[in-house]
Amino acid sequence: MRIARAAEAAGRDAAEVRLLAVSKTWPADSVREAAAAGQCAFGENYVQEGAEKVDALAGLGLEWHFIGPLQSNKTRLVANRFAWVHSIDRLKIAERLSAQRDAHLPPLEVCIQVNVSGEASKSGVAPGELPELARAVAGQPRLRLRGLMAIPEPTSDVALQRARFATLRQLRDQLNADGLALDTLSMGMSDDLEAAIAEGSTMVRVGTAIFGSRS
C-alpha cells in the first residue's frame, strides 16, 4: 500500500492519512465495487454527476466529498448531498453553502483551496488573501472549517512537489497559531502522494491508482 509505505518513510502513522477515492466520471457500479472492498469516502468534481451518484448509492452509508470548482448557482445541490467541500476559494460560495445547508444536517465540513503554484489558470485563493477568507469561512454558522486543499501544477520534480505541499502546511500552521483549529491538509494525488504525505497530508485524493485510467 503506497500510503503505508509513504507514511513509514516520513516517520508518520499511516492511520493519520485518509484515502479519498476520486470517482468522477466513473459509474455508480464502480463506486459500489470500491465500497464492497472497504472504501467509504469518495470525491466528485462535477455537481450533477456527483449528486446523481450520491442519490443512487444512498443506502451504502458512504461519505461524499465535493472536490471540484463550484459555481454559485450549483451550491444548493452540494450543500445538501455532500458531507465535505474541499474547493472553497471565495466567501460568496461559503456563504451560499452555509445558508443552503439543511438545518437537520450536521455542519458541512469544508476546506479552503489555496493556489500554492501561482498559476493564473488554477482555482484557489492566493496565500496572501487566505487569512481573511479563513476567518470569514470559520464564522459561517452551518460550516465547519477543517483545513486547506491544494492542487499544485503537475511536475515530476519531487523537490518542487514537496515545496508546494510544504507551503500549504505552513499556511495551515500559521492559521492555527492565529487561533483557528484546522486539522486537515487535503493534498496529494496518484502521481505525488508520497511527497504530500512527507509534508503532512492528512487526506490524499486518488483516482487513477484505484479505478484505472479514464478513456
Side-chain angles (χ1 to χ4, degrees), residues 101 144 174:
R101 179 75 166 173
R144 181 184 175 202
Q174 185 59 57

Side-chain angles (χ1 to χ4, degrees), residues 2-19 197-198 200-203:
R2 286 175 62 191
I3 291 174
R5 290 196 301 269
E8 182 179 10
R12 299 181 59 198
D13 183 349
E16 297 174 359
V17 185
R18 294 190 67 195
L19 172 61
I197 290 171
S201 175
T202 64
M203 195 178 301

